Amino acid sequence: MRFNGEVVGQREARQFLKKLGKVGQQAIVRATNNAGRRATTLSNREIREQVNLKAGYVRERLKVTKATRQRVEFVITANKRGVLMTRYPYRILKSGARVRIKKGGAAGFIEDGFETVLNAGGRRVKVIAAPGDRDSSGRRKRYRTGSPT
């Protein structure tokens, strides 16, 4: 989602800010950053209304670039990276794993899903995995991580 906002004022207001020079520019930068900070909060809330993620996790993933006098622009971006199932509320059952991803929707079910810890670049990461299908000899293939069906 991308939002562009442009502040257009009356001619008198622009002339007044030009007369102020650096002080006027700093006022514009501060106003832009203040509006951007509020937009960041609203973006965080909007994301959390759609999916069951914690506010701190979403806040960490939002990248904010503040306005400066040289570049009067406030930018909020987020990665389109996948999120581990263990970040959502989940429950491991005898028959599999139940994960509640959407805020108001039903929980997804991963048949025979289980919780395990993987080594990811020297860090131990908890994931929800599901065993693969059995091959012709009756042995299970290596397990895979994935989304609920």
Side-chain angles (χ1 to χ4, degrees):
M1 175 172 61
R2 186 169 178 86
F3 172 77
N4 291 328
E6 186 176 325
V7 179
V8 179
Q10 293 181 356
R11 186 179 306 157
E12 297 85 24
R14 285 196 216 168
Q15 288 175 350
F16 176 73
L17 290 173
K18 277 186 180 180
K19 287 179 187 176
L20 290 177
K22 286 186 177 181
V23 176
Q25 285 293 321
Q26 190 61 36
I28 292 171
V29 168
R30 286 181 181 157
T32 303
N33 284 334
N34 192 21
R37 190 176 63 247
R38 291 180 181 169
T40 303
T41 303
L42 291 174
S43 299
N44 189 331
R45 279 192 199 136
E46 186 72 26
I47 290 168
R48 289 183 297 116
E49 282 178 5
Q50 296 174 14
V51 292
N52 268 326
L53 291 172
K54 294 187 178 181
Y57 179 78
V58 175
R59 193 179 319 113
E60 286 175 3
R61 298 300 183 262
L62 290 177
K63 182 182 176 202
V64 174
T65 307
K66 291 185 176 182
T68 62
R69 279 205 321 243
Q70 289 77 29
R71 189 185 47 78
V72 185
E73 179 182 54
F74 191 94
V75 181
I76 305 168
T77 56
N79 291 339
K80 281 191 164 185
R81 193 180 133 241
V83 179
L84 292 173
M85 293 284 178
T86 52
R87 288 289 180 182
Y88 299 102
Y90 68 94
R91 176 174 283 166
I92 303 297
L93 307 169
K94 288 181 180 179
S95 58
R98 187 171 302 282
V99 183
R100 187 172 303 280
I101 296 173
K102 295 201 178 211
K103 193 71 168 191
F109 184 72
I110 302 174
E111 191 175 332
D112 295 332
F114 59 94
E115 183 180 46
T116 187
V117 178
L118 297 177
N119 187 5
R123 290 180 40 201
R124 295 176 61 80
V125 179
K126 190 185 294 187
V127 297
I128 296 175
D133 298 328
R134 294 182 186 268
D135 60 10
S136 58
S137 65
R139 303 174 97 191
R140 287 203 185 268
K141 296 178 185 174
R142 291 176 54 92
Y143 65 85
R144 61 176 171 75
T145 60
S147 59
T149 55

